[in-house]
Amino acid sequence: MKRILSHSARRAVAPSLRTPRSLAVCVQRSYSTHAPNAKLNVPIDYSTTSLLAHEPQTALSSAELPPKVRDGTTRKMNLFQAINDALSTALGQDPSVLVFGEDVAFGGVFRCTMSLADTYGANRVFNTPLTEQGIMGFAIGAAAEGMRPVAEIQFADYVYPAFDQLVNEAAKYRYREGSCGRSAGGLTVRMPCGSVGHGALYHSQSPESLFTHIPGLRVIIPRSPLQAKGLLLSAIRSNDPCVFMEPKILYRAAVEQVPTSPYTLPLSKAEILREGKDVTVISYGQPLYMCMSAIEKVEEELGISVELIDLRTIYPWDKETVYASVRKTGRCLVVHEAMVNAGTGAEVAAAIQEDPDTFLRLEAPVARVAGWSIPTPLMFEKFNIPDVARIYDNIKKVLEY
Amino acid sequence: MTSLSTSSRLSQEPNANHVSFPGAVKSAFTHKLKYETSEDYPALPTYRVVDQQGVVVDESFEPDLTDAEVVKLYKDMVFISILDLIMFDAQRQGRLSFYMVSAGEEALSVGSASVLAPEDVIFCQYREQGVFKQRGFTTADFVNQLFANRKDPGKGRNMPVHYGSKELNIHTISSPLATQLPQASGAAYALKMQRLNDASLPPRVVAAYFGEGAASEGDFHAALNMAATRSCPVIFICRNNGYAISTPTLDQYRGDGIASRGIGYGIDTVRVDGNDFWAVREATKRARAMALENGGRPVLIEAMTYRVSHHSTSDDSFAYRARVEVEDWKRRDNPITRLRKWMEVRGIWDDAKEKTCREETRAEILRAFREAEAEKKPPIRAMFEDVYEELTPDLRNQMTQLREHLEKYPNEYDWSEYEDGKDSLKP
């Protein structure tokens, strides 16, 4: 039953992502749309947002890129193309890299593995039977024998059959082997995550906080094509097992200039996207675009400045960057799409109040703007995700406290 | 290999006798409606070389080992059975936290491991002590792990019997059942790919051991299906010993054991007498050759045996099975006795040798036991290490917190038995 439903739903999700959605044109749809008179909850315009590098020089100006890459060229890519570029780079550079999962051979249901099987051969890029626990166990075994498998779970919503392998095996392999020295460190698991407008219960989930409770795993969520390429290459080269979650709504929507040379971006390092002095907003993945829209409105209205931080790696996460920002601003909110209960926001808020220097500088309680504590219902998605209006309102509440 | 499935080019020929649906391309049409039942098929036979009296029943059988080699493997089996007795008692005396014996399954583990190449990779469940012994695990290696002392490669983190060895190419045992099976398929695929990339590497297989209870896990299904579809050189070796803790096989499955399932996955399968050292050895030898044919493929062996002992030191098996049933098995069909009879017929073993072998083995284990028990525990620092490749800032911080706590409450903890005491917690 699950598969019948999910396959029809997968078809429903994939084609809508095939053409970049012109969200400014409001057509009558039976699923999530925006209110006609909305001032805050207007569609994100990915073609103008300052979070994406629309010009080559913007992309190449990042201080995190090595000089050789900064002197190189860029190419316009969307998120799935950047993932594809990173996978192709990894396959080309290291014969121990393997790419597999359900339907990856023809290019993947989201096109992330396009042409890879043709280029690198069916031995290295291949379909597996439809078994998430099998995919994960197979990948762990290959990693423990020295390969660098990049396994795909078709939707993060379907990772649960593989949970035992991830939690009890991948995460604990190095620990239990001790001086025998084997590990599942070569393992990277990719999975599309997050809401997509009409994904309902099983094509919308963001289970990152379930992985952050597991010592031994690294959990990474990129926000853009440029970031996805650098972070994915870091994950593949990392000697710790990495869970790499890709916001599927950005696969086609987020387009930017991406350096053509290979490069990595640091894991467990947050990025300050916008400097500010009055309040800190911490987020990751797609909600960062909502945060940016909300911040621009608040700054314009109140003449204040907001600091925006992209966590990038959700665990082990960059506490020092967050602490330094909150010590400066004294006010903070954490924004994520996953349910608020025991989510990333709980961990970040607890850590902030636990650090004596940061606690003393707090001038308002740490706010969490997140999904309600419910599954993701089809017809109510717009009331569930942390949208611009909710972020905007919470920034004001934190400021007014 | 091609990335396009050949099934996409199939079509149904007019007036064909066979179905050419992509899902079953060789299925003949029938005009009789008949459901297949397992009763229509006899149980798969059990391959045997030597009978319970030690007499060779497979006329084609020629021992492929020298007499000295057979004696060595026999001694490995005896070693495991004596180690079991000593360690079971040690647990009962509270000197070990836990133990699991493998009585009745010594031929299965020693016999199968004895035909694998040293570079072949092994995944175990937990009742395969004979595999470790045959491949060269020393008496000290066993007892250091059991006592979780500073010489335990697992650094004192794992329960007893969760052995592992880098040198012997045996992955460290983990408690969750059947998780090692899809890993074995993936590891076998890795070995295959590594040889494709570097032809100078020797051909290698993976052997994966598991019980008939573990075969009910979803990971068993995933492992066999993935190994078959990816043509992985892996030998799945099932120890069907009749019980999963208290659960008899009647509550575990209703088909013809585990072997009948292999065929359903397209995997060549054999059932063998697990109490017959030679049958297990011959079957595994053939399986290894088959696993390496045509670029690699999986093979399934179901070895029938009987769990003579309790499941573990935390189990009293007489709560769910009759004592007489166990005594019957011990008396009538013991794998060690069966090989001993074969050796006696051949004239290479006798009562005197048996007595000396048992006395020497016992003395050796007890000596190592005392040494391992007296060793220090691993440094406390080891509890924070190897979670990640490098210690994270959080873990360094937590290590410092623990050290400060131990300094503040020095009388609440005994760290003297740990190597370097609390000083190992310095970041």
Side-chain angles (χ1 to χ4, degrees), chain A residues 17 26 51 77 101 124 141 168 175 187 269 271 318 330 369 387:
Chain A
L17 296 173
C26 204
L51 287 180
M77 295 183 203
R124 297 185 63 201
N168 277 326
Y175 196 69
L187 170 72
K269 185 85 189 74
E271 183 182 2
D318 181 1
V369 190
D387 57 15

Side-chain angles (χ1 to χ4, degrees), chain B residues 255-330:
Chain B
D256 179 22
I258 308 306
S260 65
R261 300 181 201 167
I263 302 153
Y265 291 106
I267 294 178
D268 291 350
T269 300
V270 72
R271 173 177 284 158
V272 303
D273 182 342
N275 290 355
D276 179 355
F277 168 85
W278 287 112
V280 173
R281 185 176 155 89
E282 290 293 304
T284 312
K285 188 166 68 176
R286 180 84 61 88
R288 188 176 188 277
M290 288 161 64
L292 291 169
E293 279 168 9
N294 301 326
R297 62 186 166 120
V299 184
L300 173 63
I301 297 172
E302 183 184 28
M304 310 308 290
T305 179
Y306 185 86
R307 198 193 76 210
V308 177
S309 61
H310 300 305
H311 164 70
S312 73
T313 48
S314 307
D315 173 51
D316 173 13
S317 66
F318 300 129
Y320 49 80
R321 62 180 182 181
R323 198 177 282 264
V324 60
E325 174 186 323
V326 179
E327 292 306 322
D328 275 355
W329 277 100
K330 275 189 188 166

Side-chain angles (χ1 to χ4, degrees), chain B residues 77-103:
Chain B
M77 288 162 59
V78 171
F79 176 93
I80 290 302
S81 69
I82 294 175
L83 180 76
D84 276 357
L85 292 172
I86 293 171
M87 294 306 162
F88 195 88
D89 287 347
Q91 194 281 335
R92 286 291 185 255
Q93 295 164 11
R95 295 163 82 176
L96 284 184
S97 58
F98 179 75
Y99 193 72
M100 300 183 100
V101 310
S102 64

Side-chain angles (χ1 to χ4, degrees), chain A residues 123 145 173 175 179 182 217, chain B residues 157 170 189 194 383 388:
Chain A
N123 280 338
E145 279 302 319
Y173 221 106
Y175 196 69
S179 59
R182 278 169 295 232
L217 298 181
Chain B
R157 294 166 184 154
I170 313 176
Y189 194 73
Q194 284 159 5
M383 71 189 268
Y388 294 93

